[in-house]
Amino acid sequence: MKKLTTERFNQATQFMKDKTRKLERSIYQYEFEEGPFSNVLIELRKYQNTDGGFGHGLEPDLRCMESSALATTRALEILHLSPQKDEEQTEMIRKALRFFENTYNAHRNGWDIIPKEAEQSPRAIWWNYGAFADHWGNPSADILSYCIDYQSIYEIDQLEDHIDYSIDYLVNRCELNEMHELFCFIHLFEKFDKAQKLKIEDTMHVFLDNCVSINPENREGYGATPLSVVSSPSSQYYKKYAEFIPAELDELIEQQGEDGSWAPNWTWYQFEEEWLIAKEEWKGIITLNALRTLRNFNRIEL
């Protein structure tokens, strides 16, 4: 079984400490070196606006300072890393959920993923206002998952109605072919009770089959792979992809760059100078995710 060698792991560690944003560095230290989560909060707070949402390039492909659902769900993902919620962390979550309550789009029965102001800032070519308008689940399904998670901190009005709508949309109207929407519904599926899961379980498998490429020879650049939906042996779809996971992990190890990092396999196609900055920021995020996955599958020599 191939493993990331101690030398290559140390290279990745050095990259995380020397080349990444302070945010990803503090997350790495929290997850791999028992660093304090308070350092993560210090860095994450820099991206939160007065409206409770997050912006300021937290999601590297969108550089606008204005709050977006895209950046705010990313922030909640980070906040979820710590099971213990102190007063400061709880307040950050409460403000973020209030931002979602205030930006709910009744005509869409959900949320816009980015604000109109985003078009005034450097960004990837796909981030124009109205992006993913035909794929309701991105970001609305993801947002609902956090509303369920944190309803004891801040309860969103008519949450059950929103959940019922998400199930109806997935089963009856979703095209089941867009991978980011799939990721959002996977996250929401994890929060559902047994009865809710039964209503959409078969549909979720169709969604997975449509989006996840299990044959490396058929892949061209950016796309969903088994490791996109299975990050550990305890992942809900591990059994579905178990036979493919060993080879995927071998490939992940081989993809590490000479500088110790893992790099994005996409580009912006515009704003080339800003893209070079975003690319380096993405390397920190992707490297952290790669190390998590390899750790979870015991593929690091420690």
Side-chain angles (χ1 to χ4, degrees):
M1 181 175 64
K2 182 179 295 186
K3 287 193 174 185
L4 187 71
T5 66
T6 301
E7 179 182 4
R8 293 295 271 159
F9 174 72
N10 289 338
Q11 281 183 293
T13 296
Q14 206 61 44
F15 178 86
M16 291 302 303
K17 291 184 175 183
D18 294 343
K19 302 294 186 180
T20 66
R21 297 188 298 190
K22 291 182 179 180
L23 175 61
E24 280 71 40
R25 192 180 314 162
S26 65
I27 297 171
Y28 174 83
Q29 291 170 335
Y30 169 72
E31 293 195 45
F32 287 85
E33 298 180 344
E34 299 183 347
F37 197 72
S38 59
N39 287 347
V40 178
L41 295 179
I42 289 171
E43 297 306 321
L44 187 59
R45 192 187 309 119
K46 298 174 183 178
Y47 298 88
Q48 191 168 28
N49 289 315
T50 55
D51 62 5
F54 288 76
H56 302 279
L58 177 60
E59 208 279 2
D61 283 346
L62 188 70
R63 310 305 290 181
C64 66
M65 61 178 290
E66 292 84 4
S67 298
S68 66
L70 177 69
T72 305
T73 52
R74 170 65 181 144
L76 288 172
E77 179 185 359
I78 293 169
L79 289 166
H80 194 67
L81 293 173
S82 173
Q84 303 299 322
K85 304 292 188 289
D86 62 18
E87 184 176 344
E88 178 184 5
Q89 194 171 348
T90 298
E91 184 60 19
M92 291 178 76
I93 294 169
R94 183 178 294 111
K95 288 180 178 178
L97 293 180
R98 188 179 297 123
F99 165 75
F100 284 136
E101 184 173 61
N102 292 336
T103 55
Y104 176 77
N105 185 338
H107 295 291
R108 182 168 165 76
N109 291 308
W111 288 265
D112 295 316
I113 193 166
I114 64 172
K116 293 179 180 179
E117 293 84 355
E119 295 189 350
Q120 307 305 314
S121 300
R123 65 201 183 282
I125 197 169
W126 49 87
W127 285 130
N128 294 324
Y129 181 67
F132 293 98
D134 296 331
H135 300 282
W136 176 91
N138 184 19
S140 296
D142 204 25
I143 291 171
L144 289 180
S145 70
Y146 290 113
C147 292
I148 294 170
D149 251 350
Y150 296 128
Q151 54 188 315
S152 63
I153 294 176
Y154 191 90
E155 189 169 351
I156 299 291
D157 288 342
Q158 300 178 316
L159 180 57
E160 290 302 319
D161 290 340
H162 294 320
I163 291 172
D164 289 343
Y165 181 88
S166 74
I167 293 172
D168 179 71
Y169 166 82
L170 180 66
V171 174
N172 296 310
R173 293 188 300 284
C174 182
E175 295 177 354
L176 307 177
N177 62 7
E178 206 287 313
M179 69 173 184
H180 298 94
E181 189 171 36
L182 168 67
F183 300 154
C184 292
F185 269 106
I186 288 175
H187 192 198
L188 180 58
F189 185 84
E190 293 172 349
K191 314 302 177 184
F192 279 172
D193 61 33
K194 185 176 181 179
Q196 291 166 332
K197 287 181 177 180
L198 284 173
K199 292 178 181 179
I200 66 171
E201 190 167 17
D202 290 344
T203 304
M204 287 298 296
H205 281 283
V206 174
F207 210 163
L208 287 159
D209 292 341
N210 288 346
C211 293
V212 178
S213 172
I214 59 176
N215 187 348
E217 296 179 359
N218 294 336
R219 296 173 190 165
E220 296 182 6
Y222 189 57
T225 70
L227 288 182
S228 301
V229 297
V230 178
S231 61
S232 77
S234 62
S235 296
Q236 60 186 327
Y237 295 115
Y238 173 73
K239 290 183 179 179
K240 183 178 179 69
Y241 297 107
E243 65 180 294
F244 307 105
I245 294 298
E248 294 289 329
L249 291 168
D250 289 349
E251 177 66 18
L252 181 62
I253 291 171
E254 293 172 2
Q255 289 170 349
Q256 186 182 23
E258 292 183 4
D259 62 356
S261 75
W262 280 259
N265 60 354
W266 67 90
T267 184
W268 279 10
Y269 302 105
Q270 60 182 8
F271 299 107
E272 291 301 325
E273 290 185 9
E274 290 83 356
W275 160 242
L276 293 178
I277 298 171
K279 181 180 179 181
E280 292 304 307
E281 293 175 352
W282 271 119
K283 286 169 72 173
I285 296 170
I286 296 169
T287 300
L288 179 58
N289 286 336
L291 292 175
R292 282 179 182 142
T293 299
L294 293 173
R295 174 199 61 192
N296 292 345
F297 284 98
N298 193 28
R299 288 295 196 101
I300 301 176
E301 290 180 357
L302 295 176

